[in-house]
Amino acid sequence: MPCLHSEALESMEPGSATPGASPAAGTEESFRREKVTEPPMVRGMGWFFSPLWSPRSETRRWRFGDGTKSEQVAWLDDHSDFTRAYFLRRASAASGQQADMSPLPGFPRSSSDHLLFRAHHRRASSPLTSSHLNISSITDKLSPRTINLNAPDGMDCFSPEPLGSHTPCSPHPARFSFSPFRPISPVGPCSTDVPHSSQLLHPSDTKTAACGHGEGCPWMMELLRGSLSWMGSVAELCQGAVQHVGELLEAEGSSLSLVKKDCNGRSTLEEVVDPTALGGLSEGLSSHAHMELVKSVMGCVLATRSPMNLRDVSEEPRFDLEDDQSPKIRAVLCVPIKNHGGEVVGVVVTINKRSSSNGLVSVFTNMDEKVLSNHMDVLGMVLDNIQLYESSRQEAKRSQALIKMAQVLSKEHHSFEVLLSKMAATIMPFTHAQYCTIFIPNKEDKSSFSRVIHLECEELGSTCQIYRREHDISDIDPSYALQTLVTMQTLNMSESSEGSIKSLICCPVRNERSENVIAVCQLMNKWSRDSNEMEAFHRYDERLLEDLAVYCGLALQYVQAVQITEERRASIEVTQEVLAYHITAAEQEIKALQEVTVPSAESLHILDFHFSDFGLPEDLTTQATIRMFLDLNLVQDFKIDYKSLCQWVLTVRRGYRNNVPYHNWNHALSTAQSMFAMLMATDQLQGIFSRLEIFALMIATLNHDLDHRGVSNSYIERSQQPLAQLYGHSSLENHHYNLCLFILNNTGSQILSGLSPEDHRTALHMIKRAILATDLAVYMERRKEFFSLTKKSKVSWKSEKQRDLLRSMLMTASDLSAITKPWPEQKRIASLVAMEFFAQGDKEKKEFKIKPIDIMNRENSTRLPYMQVEYIDEICYPLYKAVTRLFDTCSPLLNGCKKNRENWLHLAEEAKEETNENICSVTLETHKNNEDI
């Protein structure tokens, strides 16, 4: 990036020779013979910032690097950030080797390590003379050349105005447009026909330069080499830039401001270097009015995104300055600072150029404008890199803070204040805040706070210690927090008092559901990392505090959810305690059952498949249940306490609702008796099942309809009862199992207490599977597999899957066994079932305004025999047929089902005949009436 002094530029008049060569005629021929046969190897950073840095299409046309493959070139294009950094490093490393390299033929070597490109368009018929320099035609490949030029003072190839004392650096590609056919020299955007000086410039003459350090600008080169590893602050970087351009342009004062965007996306200027930083402004020029004028000029440049060069600001109608102010700001040069994407990131202004000859104020020239613009282009690129680095660093810090806050939130906390304190202590080291206060609003008075959580940070070297201080609300100033509570917006402010800065951020904590402000987080007094001074909180601190506010809102919801859960858990425990008290049988009932002599199975007829509990006294139903457990040797095998067994049986009986016509305790006893009869009649079943499986089946049959409400699962789901919300599917069956589990865990009813932990888990699993199997929907899904299994000649029951299937089918066979009972019993039970179904149909009509299905529609009561026949054919008969195929001792179930089908079919035919007779009688009566007429 060369920066040439105006004294080093000679006006290139026609007839001048090539720099560094004799004006002899042989020079022209040496240039004419110079042909580029290979792609040039780039050796300087001048190429890097020239228009040769182009997209892939341009790169493929202008190959660089000897022997470079197209795939490598394409890769470099796709990784421009790496390529850029690579050439910066290569240029820096090569700068020390340039002096040892031999110059190209016919060209003197320059002291600079930059390559300058010159191209000259001429017609093919135009003769070449010594007054013109022609490196190559547009059809030839480009070859880099290093050229040193001198120009007399006062000549500017950019404009006819008198030159200042300095010349520009290479233009930034985003500011100028170039033709793809003609590379432009990084020296400046001069025209293609550059007049040559008649004097020759030798290498020794290049020691005088714009920045006073030769052809290259050391400030730029040092900045580019160290941009990615810049360790200072942005303010220090901007201070050095302003110092350099101020000295370069001999300005009395310079100022630099960077663009800052607010939460609404509006761009504002934040002063980084004030105009008095150079120390050259007189006291009159540093007044408030002059400073406001400078700010106005910078604001115009920010709005227009274009440079502004004012010869006399007092003549500019856009800026009004009082006439009596003296001395005055006259010449102002202000240019925008842009990043690589052309976005304005800052504005720099220089004030009152001083002439080196007489010290008077002079105007800034076009050359000064270009010099300043080129320097700011480099500064913009470096600022962009630094800001990107700083942004990534801050995002890494933010991610660490978020992870730590999430870890704090994931742990169990019993106090909301402790949780907020830990989360606030997490971000304090990241923001370097001295104090963190969380204000909790008053529930009754929303414009005040009820309590505060106050934390203080004490830095101990590289670490910091967080303390929680107990403070009353009156001890802390809540004015800023109240302002945030009212506006519900983040407040970031800083104020200076007696040389110290008080910085503060307030952020509202919202409830995600109600959007109400539930707390206010406040950070105060940010300590600088580089010094023991206060500084203002920046945007990253705001984001961290806003993140804390979000997590505090989540923490509040979490704590509230935990509190609600604990309250509901306590409520459930109280409810269970009340339920256990009322469902448990009285001590007198337990003692009576415990002391009574239980009749035998034969006298109770519980071994008979045609057992009927109709007319059986209630105390005998519980004794019959005890007898089943005794005859199956379950009490002895599992060491069941006899009193616990009596209490458990009585409690299960109390768990059924007496107002339900069919699904009550009598149905539970009938189901258990059918399972008992099958087990006792079939030795093969007791050989297939283990003792634990038989135990689980007997418990499941007695509990399979606990707390039945007399309605089906479909009604519970349609009415959106809590059971449906709790379980989702098989709601009643899941409820039956959970209540069964509750009774088994109830004190005094723990008949599973003699089992090992493993057997206990296995038994509960089998009980649950057996109870859920009584859902007819589950039966319809699994029966096809069972029917296929029964058709096999030999079945191996060693598989747990097949035994589970068999247990499920036997549960359904026991549950539906009412259809196998003797006809009087079957007819009585059918009327009870119809009563329960019709009651549900009436509810559906009233509540849902729908027509119930046929079996629940009271209007179809006369069709009960037809519906019973359909029920037997579709549900019952296939099951009992399959069971009898496996175990012929269960044939009484199949035979009873067949007999009842015949009876129901006979009733259906009688109803049909009666219907036909009624129709015939109505027809005859109608015919007779017609004859009378």
Side-chain angles (χ1 to χ4, degrees), residues 256-507:
L256 190 147
S257 298
L258 296 179
V259 173
K260 179 182 180 182
K261 291 187 177 181
D262 58 15
C263 57
N264 297 322
R266 292 189 298 265
S267 297
T268 57
L269 288 174
E270 183 178 22
E271 189 176 71
V272 179
V273 183
D274 60 70
T276 61
L278 297 179
L281 278 182
S282 61
E283 184 177 354
L285 285 176
S286 59
S287 65
H288 175 72
H290 287 94
M291 296 301 99
E292 290 300 319
L293 173 63
V294 171
K295 292 180 180 178
S296 299
V297 174
M298 299 176 79
C300 286
V301 172
L302 175 63
T304 60
R305 299 167 53 89
S306 301
M308 181 177 293
N309 190 348
L310 303 177
R311 297 172 179 271
D312 192 345
V313 72
S314 61
E315 298 177 357
E316 186 64 35
R318 289 176 291 179
F319 310 108
D320 184 20
L321 194 63
E322 297 180 7
D323 296 336
D324 58 349
Q325 290 181 347
S326 180
K328 295 182 178 181
I329 294 179
R330 294 190 178 277
V332 174
L333 175 59
C334 186
V335 299
I337 305 171
K338 298 183 179 181
N339 59 17
H340 71 282
E343 180 184 2
V344 177
V345 296
V347 177
V348 66
V349 62
T350 55
I351 304 169
N352 289 357
K353 179 182 178 67
R354 287 291 180 181
S355 176
S356 57
S357 58
N358 52 21
L360 299 177
V361 176
S362 61
V363 298
F364 292 101
T365 64
N366 289 353
M367 181 65 73
D368 295 332
E369 179 182 331
K370 292 181 175 65
V371 169
L372 184 59
S373 297
N374 291 327
H375 278 76
M376 292 306 105
D377 284 338
V378 176
L379 179 62
M381 182 184 68
V382 175
L383 280 175
D384 200 28
N385 290 338
I386 292 175
Q387 289 173 354
L388 286 174
Y389 168 74
E390 181 66 16
S391 176
S392 62
R393 192 175 66 86
Q394 293 292 345
E395 286 298 327
K397 288 173 52 179
R398 178 170 176 259
S399 299
Q400 294 177 5
L402 292 178
I403 291 173
K404 289 187 177 181
M405 284 191 287
Q407 291 174 346
V408 172
L409 186 60
S410 64
K411 298 179 181 178
E412 185 176 359
H413 300 278
H414 300 285
S415 171
F416 177 55
E417 294 186 0
V418 172
L419 178 58
L420 290 185
S421 300
K422 290 184 178 180
M423 295 181 67
T426 301
I427 71 162
M428 290 185 70
F430 290 95
T431 58
H432 300 279
Q434 185 178 8
Y435 304 109
C436 179
T437 309
I438 300 177
F439 297 85
I440 309 298
N442 196 328
K443 293 183 178 180
E444 288 75 19
D445 184 8
K446 298 298 182 180
S447 60
S448 61
F449 299 107
S450 60
R451 63 185 190 276
V452 295
I453 301 173
H454 185 73
L455 286 82
E456 297 182 9
C457 179
E458 180 181 349
E459 294 194 5
L460 304 173
S462 59
T463 61
C464 59
Q465 185 69 36
I466 309 295
Y467 301 95
R468 180 179 175 184
R469 307 294 188 188
E470 295 296 334
H471 282 281
D472 190 71
I473 186 64
S474 59
D475 299 336
I476 300 177
D477 181 14
S479 57
Y480 300 112
L482 285 173
Q483 181 180 346
T484 303
L485 181 64
V486 173
T487 61
M488 300 179 67
Q489 299 292 332
T490 301
L491 173 66
N492 188 352
M493 58 160 292
S494 60
E495 57 184 15
S496 300
S497 59
E498 299 179 359
S500 63
I501 299 178
K502 179 183 178 181
S503 52
L504 178 142
I505 305 181
C506 283
C507 181

Side-chain angles (χ1 to χ4, degrees), residues 27-40:
T27 305
E28 178 182 329
E29 290 298 322
S30 65
F31 284 142
R32 189 177 301 177
R33 290 191 302 267
E34 180 72 17
K35 297 294 182 181
V36 181
T37 58
E38 294 179 352

